[in-house]
Each structure stands twice: as C-alpha cells, then as structure tokens.
Amino acid sequence: MNKLIVPSVIILFWINVACGQQILVGTVKNTADEPVVHATLVVKGTNAYTVADEKGQFHLTVQVAPPFSLQINSVGYQSREIRIHEWPEGPLRITLTADNVLSEVVVTSRRRRELLQEVPIPVSVISGTLADDAGAFNVNRLKELVPSVQLYSSNPRNTGLSIRGLGTTFGLTNDGIDPGVGFYVDGVYYARTAATTLDFIDVEQIEVLRGPQGTLFGKNTVAGAFNVTTRRPTFTPEANVELSYGNYGFIQAKASVSGPLSKNLAARVSFSGTQRDGLLYNVATQKPVNDLNNLGLRGQLLYAPSENLHVLFAGDISRQRPDGYAQVFAGVAPTLRAAYQQFEQILADLDYELPSRNPFDRVIDHDTPWRSGQDLGGISANVDVKVGPGTLTTTTAWRFWNWDPSNDRDFTGLQGLALSQAPSRHDQWSQEVRWAGEFSNRLSAVVGLYAFGQALRADPAHTEEAGRDQWRFSQNTESPLWKTPGLLDGYGIKTYPSLETFSGAVFAQVDYAVTSRLRILPGIRLNYDDKSVNFRRETYGGLQTDDPDLLAIKRAVYSNQAFEADVEDTNISGQLTVAFKATATINAFATFANGFKPVGLNLGGLPNANGQPMLELAVIKPERVNHYEVGMKAQSTAGTVLNVVVYQTDVRDYQAQVQTADLSVNRGYLANAEKIRVRGVEFDGSIRFNNYVSLYGSLAYTDGKYVSFTNAPPPLEETGGPTFKDISGGKLPGISKWAVSLGGEAATAAGSFLGHDGQFFLGVDGFHRSSFSSNPSPSTYLIVRAYTLLNARIGFRALDGVTLFLWSRNLLDTDYFEQLLPGAGNAGHYAGVLGDPRTYGITLRYAF
C-alpha cells in the first residue's frame, strides 16, 4: 500500500475472551503516529460496531466466528475493509487512503484492483465524494477536474466527448460513426454519448483512462475510456440523503438506501433529481429557457453466497425534460457571397432587429420551441466467479435511448426554419466474457470476448421545415421568383435513417515480470464490424406548382435523397508497454499502441455536387491510429505525488464531422482527413502538507493539427467561394493548447456540529483553458476565447450524521462560451453555447 502520498490508519488488535464473547481491542492511528479520533469500526453484515476514543483506542465485541469482514471509516480517509479469516495471534496493521485528494490509490482500470501509482497507464481518478462536494454531477462539470477531457454539447444528442482532443468528432452528431472514447458504467458500455449529459447516480469512483484501451475493454476505444463505478449493495444497512438549494431556483435531491434482504442477498436503491430555472430569457414567450429537469433511478440486487461468487443485477432509468439547450446569437462573419446574401442585409430586408447583440445579456427571441427530451435506461447482469487463479466475469446488458427534440436552428426570431426535429429510438445489447488473474507472481493476464449490437431509427421521422423567411436566407440569385408568395412556406424534408451494427472482438493483455523491476505488457485485439444503413429523405409541402423555375428554387433548398450501404470490416490492433520500477518510489513506462475506429456511415444526408448527391461519401474509411507514450509516476516525499506523460498520436483517415452551406445536409456530414497529429505533455500531482491540508492539480499541453486535409469544406467566412479547401496545417477543433486544474482543501483535525463528530473544511477548485477552434475548418470568427473558472465550498463534514456546506461555482462570474457554431445554411451568423454564470447555494447531507 502506498505510504508516501496518503495518511494511513494503523490498527493493532488482539483477542480477549470475556463472558463468552470475542473482543477486538486496538488503536487507530495515522502515518504521523497520531490517533484518529472517532474512527468507526463495523463488523459487516452485523450490528456490531464501535467508535475509537480520543486516544484512537477501541474495543469491539464480536459475536460471529471468522471469516468476517471488518470495515474501518473515518472522516477524511477512504473506507477500508479487511477480511478476518481466523482469530489473529498478534497485532494486525491496516492502511487507509485519504479521501479528499484528486487521485485515489486503488483502481480497476486493468480489470483488477491495484495501486494507481503502479499502473502503467495515465489515469485520472475522481472519487464520488469529491465529485459530489465539487458539484460535478455530470461529465460536463467533471471536465473541470481533468483538463485532458473535452466535452461539447449543443444538446444531449449533439454531445461530443474527447480525451486529448480525440474521440467523438467535433460538431453536430452523426450517428453513423462510433465514439472514440468509451463510456462504461459498472462494466456496461454506453453507445450514446448523450448519456454524459445525465446526472451521475450514486457514484463510487470515476476513472479516466487516456490513450487507446482496446486490449482491456470490450468496445474498441482509440482515445481513452471513462470507467464509472457505482456504489454496490452492502450487507450492512446504510442510507444517505442529500438536498441542495441554490440561486436560479436550483434544487437537487439525492438518496440511496442499502442493506441485506437475507444472509446472501443485498439490495441498493439510488435516486437523483435536479431542477433549475432557465439561464436565458426569451422575450418572445416572456419566460426563461435552458432550465434543468433531470430525474434518475437505479436499483441493484447483489447475490453473494460465497467469496467465490458474486452476481449483481442492476436496472436504471433516467429522464430529462428541459425547456432548454437554446443557443444565443454570438456574432456575424462576412462571407464571400454577394452583398444581398450577407446576414446584415437579410435582416434589413426582413425589417428585423435582434433583441441583443451581446450574447452575455442572455436574451433571445426564438419563435420555435427548444425541447431536448430524452429517456435513457437499461438492465444488466454481472457475474464474478473464481476460476482457477483468477476471476471470470460475464456482463450482459440491454439499453435504450429515446430522443424527442425541437430546435430553432436559425437562432433568431425570424422564421428561417420553422421546424428542426430528429426524434429517434436507439437500442443496444452487449455481452462480455472476461477472465483476469495471476498465473504466478510474475505472470498475469486479461482475456476477453465481446459482442455488441445496436439499432437506430427515426421515430417516426426526422423533420426539417422552412418558415416564411427562409426564401431570403436561401436566396442565391436576384430573381424576383424567390419572392413568390408561399413558395417555401411549410416546405420541408422528412428523413428516415436506419442503422444496424454488430461488433465482435477477442482481446487479451499479458503482464510479465522479466525481473523484479522490469515488466512487459503486450496486448492484442481482433475486431469484426458489420454495419448497414438505409437512408431515405423526401420533400413535402410548399407551393404546389409545375413551373420549372419555381421547382428549381425549391430543389436548391431541399431535395430528395436515398442510398443504402452495407459494409464489413475486420481489424487487428495491439499494443506493447514496457514498465520499469526505477526505485521504490519511481515507476516509468513506455507504450506503443496501434488502434482503429471502425468504418463510418453518413446518416445526416450527403452534400450535393452539380445537383447530385456525393454518394462516394456514404461510406467513410476507418481511422488508423499509431500512439506513442512515455510516462513516469513518482512519489518524492511522504504526501507528494508527481506524474508526467509525453505522447504523440498519429491518425490516418481521421473521421471528421464537417459543416456545409447545403441546408439539406442536416447536422453536417462525415469526411476523411488524410492525416492528423496530436501530441502533448501532461502533469498531475498532489501534495499533503499534513493530515489536514492537501493540494492537487493537473496541467495538459496539447498540440493538435491537420497534417493533411486537402478536401475540407471552407470555414464560415469563405462560404460562397470554392466548395472545398485545403486546410492542411490548421488546428484541430476543440483543443486548447493549455488546460489547467488546481484545487485544494484544508480541514480541521476534529470538531463537532449539531452533536455530530467530524471536520470543518474549506475547498477551492480552479480551471483554466486557453482559446480553441470551435469549427472543423479553422475559422477566424469561430474561436472560443480563453477563460478561467473558480469554485469554492466551506462547511462541516461528518462520516455518519450531518454534513453541511456552502458552495459557489464560477465564483468570479466569468462570461465564457463553451462552443460556437454557425447557423444552418452558413448565412454568416453564428451562435454560442454559454457557460453558466455564478451560481451558489447550500448542501445538506445526512448519512446513517
């Protein structure tokens, strides 16, 4: 156990016999040899417990015979559980880790429990406690604690999750490609990135793995993985309730109840609900928009008849019903179109004034409702059984996602687009069988089989419909026919996309200790993908006419389109890691990984060339990834950790999501960039000055560029010029060159509040990121400026009983954009996704 970065609890106990009862007697201390006052010791599965006194001493009466588990808890320390197989003859020493630092000690990234500092993978770990205290109740907020993570969301469907700038393609979502970052909850892969916008439910720990992970996880991931672990059912009764209140009508409630149903059966039920008033004001409807309205429920049933068999059944359902995800007008870029096609001239001709040109006035006048309703849930079964020198794990799961949206994609009170809706239904199933174990003290391995299937379809159709003002946005000649009354009113397209995929894989990774200091870790993956798409788009409405000139105008706005594609692809990838333990406190590693992202299919429609769809873009080549990484994990002094990683990732046939001036290409389309490169340096560390003051931080330098992309769409300001542009050498979107997270906490040694023992504490977190491109093709106008956020909390924390603290996020009330995006059709204007203003409130938590 790591004794350098975490305080520890040393327990010395022996057995006495009194009145026929066994008594455990001992002392709880930390690494400074100071008593840990009021530490709680519980015999799991019973009501037997005791609390250490002012000297850290305890006497615990035990009425069960070994084997049994003893759990030790103390405020400021991570819980620790030890298994007592027989009455010990002498003292037993146990170490606990601190719970208020960024890095946890024990991780499961390599499918077994091991110390974070000894894992030859760059991993950032956030405890559920820190996430709760910091208000990081979803991935978008969690990214402020892990600067290598990027998340962009203009609505739940259009959410991109990346690590080091790679993963989900930047821009609006295209369902025909796989995410490059795996998102797992209790071993179950979530195919829809929309899940990252939902609230976490009763999370124990979140591990963020950076770099390709295809030889450890079922679904192939070329950029990294989120490994979320929820709190499991317990055989000791427990319950937790949390209520938060804040400005803008913020209310959040969390609750969990866990305990035994019988000797071998335990259950856990967890709930999370979040509401908040809107942060924008719509002067057209005279009400706020962009509120929060989230509900989530999770139930688990654990069957544990022995130490060799655990069966966990789980089911969850989450529901979002926000009046929200509206974007504000952010600015105008002059394009290369004719003067009459410029955005400002369009506004003048339609006699329209924006309600505000300052996006941070947070005022809109949109006439089409914003709706982002989604339901996401599923069931799973995890079975862990001891087989030989390891554990065989099977994970079976089915999940669904229902999506019911409405958007105002012209971002104004004009009727450019009257409707923009893509209601969808997604179903997935997955089956993983994995064995992980140790053949000897020198050789261990992970071997797995994985199968995954999904189906996505419109429910019942995706609809985009022009409004009364669309003629002026789409006008591309000065012909008076564009003014024909009712020509485009109600004219639209209904799209019926259907996607079915199957993915199967065999993967393995070996860990072999050549010497006591040198280890090699080769891994391999064989993957098979079968994807089929059926795309059909039909026009409807508008003025009914036989006039060929009027029909040509209508076809210039929307046109019919249909295509089918069915592709199969087999890939072999792998990696080799060499790990070297230079000293007792320094671990170094070097990795080469070869990976891929499966073949892609365009599901947003194809751009037109010479009046015909570009069918050659229906199928997109798979990405080919070569990744190089060198890292070091060091523990220089007691309470100090410093980790550094240097890496480079080269990607051929990079799958880019690009925007086009073609209005009928809904949400953009996919294209292959010939080659990109991402390289960088990452530092993360923590320091504990004593048992009550700690600091933690991470710094990421990331340099991403298109090495070659010769056939890219032009940026917004070059709309009206050549259809394609060579953007080789340009910056990749969504990547800040610098991103920094810093935080710390100071706590008292011991205190009492409302009759409960615990700690008073002060915590501060800061996050900074430099400017970044917010468009696939670098644009002078679509650059998000650098910003810095400061969050703070102060209060009282008890292990059992009352925890109460005040908190504020964006304490300095910084105005900032999270994303900029062009209006539909590239008329010249662009919109912004605003970051939250200063929020503050109070949280009350009670555990018993």
Side-chain angles (χ1 to χ4, degrees), residues 355-500:
S356 174
R357 288 180 176 265
N358 179 2
F360 297 106
D361 286 342
R362 300 181 181 271
V363 175
I364 62 173
D365 65 344
H366 301 174
D367 56 322
T368 299
W370 286 90
R371 185 176 66 249
S372 298
Q374 66 168 335
D375 298 314
L376 188 147
I379 54 176
S380 64
N382 273 284
V383 180
D384 293 307
V385 57
K386 297 290 184 181
V387 175
T391 300
L392 181 69
T393 299
T394 70
T395 302
T396 307
W398 169 82
R399 299 199 61 78
F400 75 93
W401 177 68
N402 290 333
W403 173 238
D404 181 25
S406 175
N407 308 286
D408 194 329
R409 291 184 63 228
D410 57 58
F411 308 125
T412 70
L414 295 170
Q415 272 279 316
L417 291 175
L419 295 176
S420 181
Q421 303 171 353
S424 304
R425 167 79 185 196
H426 175 268
D427 291 273
Q428 69 168 75
W429 63 266
S430 59
Q431 176 65 61
E432 182 173 354
V433 179
R434 181 182 69 250
W435 183 89
E438 297 181 353
F439 296 104
S440 69
N441 57 1
R442 299 182 64 181
L443 180 64
S444 62
V446 176
V447 181
L449 297 172
Y450 185 74
F452 171 82
Q454 66 175 327
L456 177 72
R457 61 184 183 275
D459 187 21
H462 297 178
T463 302
E464 186 164 310
E465 183 179 296
R468 61 180 180 274
D469 301 315
Q470 185 57 52
W471 70 271
R472 191 61 187 84
F473 282 91
S474 296
Q475 186 177 1
N476 58 17
T477 70
E478 296 187 86
S479 168
L481 292 177
W482 282 93
K483 298 181 181 180
T484 302
L487 178 62
L488 299 179
D489 290 8
Y491 180 55
I493 48 175
K494 289 190 178 295
T495 305
Y496 306 90
S498 174
L499 172 72
E500 293 188 4

Side-chain angles (χ1 to χ4, degrees), residues 9 254 268 292 387 437 491 560 588 637 797 837 846:
V9 176
K254 300 178 183 179
R268 189 179 194 96
L292 295 177
V387 175
Y491 180 55
N560 296 331
T637 61
R797 179 193 296 123
Y846 191 81

